[in-house]
Amino acid sequence: MADGLERLWTPHRMAYVSGGDRPEGGYEKPAGCPFCRAPGLPPEESLVVARGEHVFAVLNLYPYNPGHLLVCPYRHVADYTDLALPETAELAAFTQNAMRVVRKVSNAHGFNLGMNQGGVAGAGIAAHLHQHVVPRWGGDANFMPVIGRTKVLPQLLTDTRELFTRAWSS
């Protein structure tokens, strides 16, 4: 039945929604964890923006907003309280630098920062701690996500990664 609405198809998100891209054994073990695998992938596949001694920054494959970054420890730990002091300090420093980079590259007006600790708290990959750095702009919660339940991303993730990687070291 025709309803007069336009459609914006995002079939790539079905793997995320259905869980179809999850490894057979789940994310609990490092071998199945995308955050454990990402640093070892070639740059064009990994979406890693920057690497530190204890943590790295990577673009979210299923972003809430353009430029949505995750700061992850290399070590496969689930809980914030499991981090060693050097990991905690570098995670905080990377989060600050991620904000600077996103502001520089895309003039974000604000940010949502956070960690979802455990599946019941909304963590999609609860077994590996990750800090969300979500850029926000005035009016970014327009009719598309509110009514259309669709996010419009104006740039390919690989292009965003390239811009952020260059800005991270400058």
Side-chain angles (χ1 to χ4, degrees):
M1 175 176 273
D3 58 12
L5 297 176
E6 295 290 326
R7 299 291 190 260
L8 180 61
W9 299 105
T10 57
H12 65 280
R13 292 202 42 87
M14 279 311 297
Y16 176 71
V17 171
S18 69
D21 63 347
R22 290 180 190 217
E24 190 173 316
Y27 299 129
E28 300 303 314
K29 293 188 176 18
C33 176
F35 300 138
C36 289
R37 287 193 327 264
L41 294 173
E44 62 277 0
E45 292 178 39
S46 73
L47 299 177
V48 171
V49 170
R51 299 166 190 269
E53 184 178 343
H54 304 288
V55 304
F56 63 97
V58 62
L59 284 170
N60 189 333
L61 188 57
Y62 303 105
Y64 299 138
N65 260 358
H68 180 171
L69 286 164
L70 303 170
V71 180
C72 308
Y74 289 109
R75 199 162 57 93
H76 189 82
V77 296
D79 199 84
Y80 187 64
T81 60
D82 294 335
L83 291 179
L85 215 47
E87 291 169 314
T88 304
E90 192 172 56
L91 188 134
F94 259 59
T95 300
Q96 289 177 324
N97 204 37
M99 293 172 65
R100 288 183 193 104
V101 164
V102 174
R103 279 190 185 118
K104 180 178 180 179
V105 171
S106 60
N107 196 30
H109 299 152
F111 292 88
N112 290 120
L113 304 174
M115 293 180 208
N116 300 325
Q117 294 284 266
V120 298
I125 302 175
H128 196 131
L129 176 82
H130 51 284
Q131 167 83 28
H132 291 263
V133 180
V134 183
R136 301 299 306 269
W137 295 267
D140 66 8
N142 60 26
F143 75 97
M144 288 299 286
V146 174
I147 295 171
R149 300 186 51 80
T150 301
K151 271 289 184 185
V152 177
L153 302 174
Q155 190 172 54
L156 294 173
L157 290 174
T158 52
D159 294 343
T160 304
R161 182 199 157 276
E162 183 63 32
L163 288 170
F164 285 3
T165 300
R166 279 193 306 239
W168 196 280
S169 53
S170 63

